Structure formats: structure tokens, C-alpha cells
Amino acid sequence: MSERILGILGEGFGKIMLASIEVTIPLTVLGFTFAMIIALVMAMVQYAKIPILSQISRIYIWLFRGTPLLVQLFLAYFGLPKIGITLDAFPCAVLVFSLNEGAYCAETMRAALEAVPSGQVEAGYCSGLNYIQIMFHIVLPQAFRTAFPPLSNSVIAMLKDTSLAAEITVADMFMSAQKIVGRTYEPLWLYSEVALVYLMFSTILTIIQRIMEKRLNAYNTKSIDTNLTKRRRFF
Amino acid sequence: MSLLELKNLHKSFDNTEILSGIDLSVNKGDVIAVLGPSGSGKTTLLRCLNFLEQSDEGTLEFEGKLYDLKKVKRKQISEYRKDTAFVFQNYNLFANKKALDNVTLGLSVARKISKKEAEKIGMEMLSKVGMAEYAEYYPIKLSGGQQQRVAIARALATNPSVIYFDEPTSALDPELIGEVLSVMKKLAEEGMTMVVVTHEINFAQNVSTKVVFMDEGKIIEQGKSEEFFANPKNERTREFLNRINKQHEV
Ligand SMILES: Nc1ncnc2c1ncn2[C@@H]1O[C@H](COP(=O)(O)OP(=O)(O)O)[C@@H](O)[C@H]1O
Ligand SMILES: [Mg+2]
């Protein structure tokens, strides 16, 4: 490896990390937080079978899961100004990622809520609890446990998808790599480098997921299942 | 003294009448065994009695209050449920709560009793069913019989006037049935009012004070336990008892 490449990689690393702190991480954290809030509301509205709101929730999920993320980004950033709604690139990306991710997470949460045995809800009523108390103490904690692995996958997927925001001029990690490529003509090295940084963040998230799952496992039957699959792998 | 007076309960599912005019009266201290073939509506009756199902018609008088079953309000239901308890066939323990928390949730959350007081009562109830040493166990770590005993402790904790049991031993392995039945026998001896749907003929014969026999959504015979077993009057009751006795001999 020549000194020039080393120099470029060194500069690249600094710029990519800076972009991660300024853009990629905030975009992921904000996007996922809003997505979870949206998802919880949409899932609980459906779980409680609230008329009209339930249908609105289904339509929202249908729209945002049924169209490509990149198209949604373009529509919001380049399309909306035509009807007088102009957003800066970063808030626009946060908005689109929240809505897009919210649709997927809503489905995850809804399935997880419905997986809590209805007998426990009835037992809650018979113990004198009301609907809100049952949700808070019995249903939601179990639903979160069930939803935790798929939600973790969603965060990791979203972290990587934030690279699409570069397409609407958001100066994220990927864009900072692209800029240096434009100047140095070293796509192999720089795109490898940015890929490694994404890999590093994904790995950190995976490790956090493992640790959290272990802590959440106390009452969970599935921990037994995973042990079983670990032991018997014949094929 | 009459605790509960059910009159003319009707309930249909999808236009099929499952309960066709049930009258039932429960006195304080009664242990009523509800017998009857599978599908006769026993579970539905208990579920209607605790408003887990909405009835189509009927009235319920409970502790001097009158409930119109087809248009009972949410507030009335929750008031009624504070004085009753339900034990399910498949226990339905809260999977995310340890045994003790299963027992105390109805006290600390629903009745706003202090955590300390709730835990004191909870431990008392767990001791009563012989589960005190398992207070910190999650349901998944307990056998079926142990789970059902925790469920009974949970039912007892809120000091109900009546406990409804829906086949509390039917999901259990044979060797675990005894531990649950003996807890229920102890409650009966202490004067707890219980309505028990069961196939345990020995329990009906030796523990219950009254027997109610259901078939096709109706109560077709009822009476004091001794009389019911010594001298069943209805043809279908006799058939049912014969069938059960034969099963026991095999
Ligand atoms: N939720 C339901 N929807 C439709 N049919 C039901 C429902 N619950 C019970 N039934 C029907 O009601 C009848 C009585 O059921 P059940 O009360 O469970 O009887 P038992 O407890 O005596 O075996 C059965 O034919 C059953 O199929
Ligand atoms: Mg039944």
C-alpha cells in the first residue's frame, strides 16, 4: 500500500467518522425513535380494533411498505416543493425514514401484541385490572420481548439504508466517501473503507442486541428453543 | 344466605343457542360442582358469570346488586370483578411476572394497596397453596400443578366472595391433579364459596355441597351432593354418571 493511499484512507476515516457523528448516527437515532412512536400508536390502534383509526393505520402501512424508500425520499425532497412544502435535506430524511421504518415496525409490534395469549388478558380483567393496566403491565412488556429481535434487525437495516439519504444531498458517511472518491479516483479503497465503518456500527448494534436479549430472557420460552437448535444441528 | 342469583341466562354464538335459560343460585359457603358432557356449555356459563362473555339475556343478583346481563356497564363489571375471581383451565399466569407478582398485581395495581402490604398478602396466599418457596420463579419454570396453585393464590389474594373454577385440573398430568384438588378441598373446608366446573367425580362427591348437571345448554338436574349421587333422577344424568364410573373402573 502506497503512502498516498494511506494518506487518503487516513483522511477518509476522519471525514467518514465526522459524518457519522454529525449525520448518520443522529439520522438513525431520530428516525428510529420517531418510527417506534409511530409504530406503537399504529399497532395499538389495530390491537384495540379502534374503528377508522385502525383502517387509517392499515392504509399508512400499505403505502409506506409498498413503495421504495428511495422513491419516497425523492418524492419528499424534490416533489413536495412543487406543492409549496419545502424541507431541508436532513429533516426531510428524518421524516421519510421515520415514516418508512414506522410502517415496518408497526407490523412487527402488531404481530407481537397479538402473540400475547388472550387468556392472560382475561386473567388480568379477572384480577380487577383495567385495559390500560393490562396493556402496561402484561401485554406490552411481553410484546416488546417478542418484538425485540426483529426490531433490532430493523435498526441495523435502517442504519445501512441511511446511505440512501446521500441521494437527496444529506452529507452522510457515504456522501463524504463519494466526495473524496471524486477528488482522488480511489473508489475501491474508499468504498471499502466506508463499508467497514458501516460494518463496525452494525457489529456494535448486534452486540448490544445479544446482551439485551440475554437480559430479557428470564421468563421467555424461546430461550429454551434456541438452546435446542444450538445442540442439534445435523444438517 | 344467598350470595348470587342468576336468572334466565341466554347466550348464543353465531345464532346457535349455547345456553338456554340458566337459573342458578349460590349461597355463601356453597361449593357447587358443575358437571356435564363436553360441549354442554359449562365454560360458557362461567365466562358469562364473570362477564368474559356478553350474555344475550338474563339477570344476576350479586351481594344485593342487580345486573342486567345484556346491558351491563363497564363500571358495573369492574365493580363486580373486584369481588369475584376466576381460575382457568390453562392457568393463564402472567408470563412476564414472577409467581409472587402474579399474586400481588391485582392488589398493588388494581386496588392500589401498598407494595409492602400486597407482598405480605401475596406470601400468605402462596404459603396457603404450598408455593411460598417458589415466589421468585417465573411461570415457565413451574410445573402445571404448581402454576395452577399460583393461579389459585392469585384468585385468593383479592379476598373474593366467590371463585369460579373452569376445569382446574383438566390440563394437568394425572400425578399433578392431587396437589391442586387438595388445595381446593382446604378452601372448601375454610368456607370459601366456589363454583367448580369439573370432571373429577370424587371432588364432586366428597367436597362439593351441591351438584349441578348441565346438558345441551340447560341445567337438567341439581341437588345436594349426597342426594344427587345416591339418587340421580334424570335419565341423562344416570347415563353420564354410569359412563364416568365405568371410566374410573378401567
Ligand atoms: N367463542 C365461541 N364461539 C363460537 N362457539 C363457541 C364459543 N365458545 C364456545 N362455543 C361453543 O359453545 C358450545 C359450548 O362450549 P363450552 O361452554 O366450552 O362447553 P363445555 O365447557 O361444557 O365443554 C360448544 O359447542 C362450543 O363449540
Ligand atoms: Mg369447558
Side-chain angles (χ1 to χ4, degrees):
Chain A
M1 204 186 293
S2 73
E3 227 158 86
R4 188 180 82 91
I5 298 288
L6 271 180
I8 291 172
L9 286 180
E11 183 208 346
F13 188 74
K15 293 220 163 120
I16 289 169
M17 287 310 284
L18 189 66
S20 81
I21 290 164
E22 283 178 354
V23 177
T24 300
I25 293 173
L27 181 54
T28 308
V29 170
L30 285 175
F32 200 74
T33 306
F34 291 134
M36 274 314 292
I37 294 168
I38 296 169
L40 257 182
V41 173
M42 296 296 161
M44 299 218 317
V45 154
Q46 287 184 61
Y47 181 75
K49 299 195 174 67
I50 301 173
I52 301 171
L53 291 182
S54 256
Q55 278 87 312
I56 291 174
S57 161
R58 294 301 324 160
I59 291 171
Y60 154 72
I61 291 168
W62 172 67
L63 283 175
F64 279 86
R65 286 205 314 174
T67 53
L69 176 57
L70 190 56
V71 174
Q72 292 168 15
L73 281 167
F74 273 51
L75 193 56
Y77 188 69
F78 301 114
L80 287 185
K82 300 280 172 218
I83 53 166
I85 306 170
T86 309
L87 295 168
D88 284 343
F90 184 79
C92 180
V94 171
L95 178 75
V96 171
F97 277 103
S98 305
L99 288 169
N100 181 277
E101 197 62 22
Y104 286 92
C105 295
E107 281 296 271
T108 306
M109 275 314 293
R110 185 186 57 80
L113 286 168
E114 278 163 9
V116 178
S118 62
Q120 289 184 40
V121 175
E122 292 185 342
Y125 280 126
C126 290
S127 296
L129 278 71
N130 61 33
Y131 184 80
I132 303 210
Q133 292 167 334
I134 290 170
M135 286 307 286
F136 190 75
H137 290 275
I138 299 163
V139 177
L140 280 172
Q142 291 184 58
F144 271 118
R145 178 59 193 89
T146 311
F148 190 79
L151 289 179
S152 306
N153 287 342
S154 296
V155 188
I156 293 170
M158 183 170 164
L159 169 80
K160 295 178 293 172
D161 285 347
T162 55
S163 57
L164 290 175
E167 300 290 325
I168 59 163
T169 76
V170 174
D172 76 327
M173 291 179 2
F174 185 46
M175 181 180 272
S176 67
Q178 278 177 312
K179 276 186 185 151
I180 307 172
V181 170
R183 195 153 42 73
T184 60
Y185 306 104
E186 289 294 347
L188 178 63
W189 289 109
L190 281 158
Y191 291 144
S192 300
E193 183 172 39
V194 76
L196 276 173
V197 177
Y198 278 111
L199 185 62
M200 178 186 81
F201 283 124
S202 309
T203 308
I204 292 170
L205 286 176
T206 309
I207 291 167
I208 295 174
Q209 176 187 359
R210 290 261 168 75
I211 294 169
M212 293 290 289
E213 269 179 43
K214 234 174 229 152
R215 291 182 55 185
L216 287 166
N217 256 348
Y219 62 80
N220 197 277
T221 44
K222 280 168 205 141
S223 60
I224 296 166
D225 293 343
T226 35
N227 285 343
L228 267 182
T229 43
K230 257 185 217 144
R231 258 187 279 128
R232 2 176 76 212
R233 273 249 175 102
F234 299 122
F235 43 90
Chain B
M1 193 181 117
S2 175
L3 174 72
L4 183 156
E5 215 50 71
L6 174 70
K7 291 221 169 75
N8 196 32
L9 168 61
H10 284 263
K11 172 71 186 167
S12 300
F13 284 119
D14 320 317
N15 295 325
T16 313
E17 193 159 66
I18 303 297
L19 296 175
S20 330
I22 302 272
D23 298 324
L24 181 71
S25 104
V26 181
N27 291 331
K28 269 215 162 72
D30 272 351
V31 178
I32 299 183
V34 180
L35 304 181
S38 174
S40 57
K42 307 179 297 294
T43 296
T44 307
L45 169 62
L46 281 198
R47 290 174 61 82
C48 285
L49 272 174
N50 218 22
F51 301 107
L52 290 174
E53 301 288 351
Q54 162 102 55
S55 307
D56 302 328
E57 210 184 314
T59 59
L60 177 69
E61 211 182 316
F62 180 75
E63 295 189 316
K65 290 185 197 108
L66 189 69
Y67 300 86
D68 184 343
L69 294 181
K70 72 168 174 253
K71 51 183 183 199
V72 61
K73 297 203 179 64
R74 192 178 300 181
K75 212 170 150 207
Q76 290 178 295
I77 294 179
S78 71
E79 170 191 50
Y80 171 85
R81 281 188 182 138
K82 295 225 155 123
D83 270 331
T84 65
F86 204 102
V87 174
F88 298 84
Q89 184 169 349
N90 51 358
Y91 341 120
N92 287 340
L93 291 183
F94 310 129
N96 59 324
K97 302 274 176 202
K98 294 171 177 176
L100 179 60
D101 298 330
N102 262 276
V103 179
T104 58
L105 202 63
L107 297 168
S108 57
V109 173
R111 288 162 184 81
K112 307 280 180 251
I113 290 171
S114 77
K115 195 166 181 254
K116 208 171 144 211
E117 178 69 13
E119 286 186 353
K120 191 173 139 256
I121 298 172
M123 284 312 296
E124 247 170 69
M125 296 307 145
L126 284 176
S127 307
K128 198 165 197 161
V129 299
M131 288 296 293
E133 23 178 332
Y134 295 93
E136 299 298 315
Y137 281 56
Y138 283 103
I140 183 79
K141 298 274 155 63
L142 302 174
S143 74
Q146 292 173 327
Q147 289 191 51
Q148 193 60 297
R149 284 189 284 150
V150 172
I152 293 174
R154 175 173 71 181
L156 287 170
T158 52
N159 193 23
S161 306
V162 57
I163 306 180
Y164 303 114
F165 292 81
D166 187 16
E167 302 202 30
T169 58
S170 294
L172 297 176
D173 291 335
E175 75 272 18
L176 302 178
I177 290 175
E179 64 189 65
V180 172
L181 286 181
S182 69
V183 166
M184 291 170 64
K185 183 161 180 247
K186 192 161 99 184
L187 297 185
E189 283 161 2
E190 289 172 4
M192 176 55 78
T193 311
M194 313 198 273
V195 179
V196 186
V197 172
T198 186
H199 288 293
E200 292 295 327
I201 220 72
N202 287 331
F203 180 87
Q205 221 156 1
N206 303 326
V207 181
S208 73
T209 56
K210 260 175 77 182
V211 177
V212 165
F213 181 76
M214 285 182 66
D215 196 15
E216 293 178 358
K218 289 199 179 76
I219 293 180
I220 59 171
E221 185 164 354
Q222 57 180 310
K224 286 223 172 79
S225 262
E226 313 89 78
E227 285 167 32
F228 179 89
F229 285 104
N231 190 13
K233 292 184 182 61
N234 188 291
E235 183 58 37
R236 273 183 288 177
T237 316
R238 281 200 291 269
E239 261 173 45
F240 179 80
L241 291 176
N242 277 338
R243 211 159 0 118
I244 287 212
N245 284 332
K246 276 207 194 93
Q247 277 169 7
H248 273 248
E249 278 157 26
V250 171

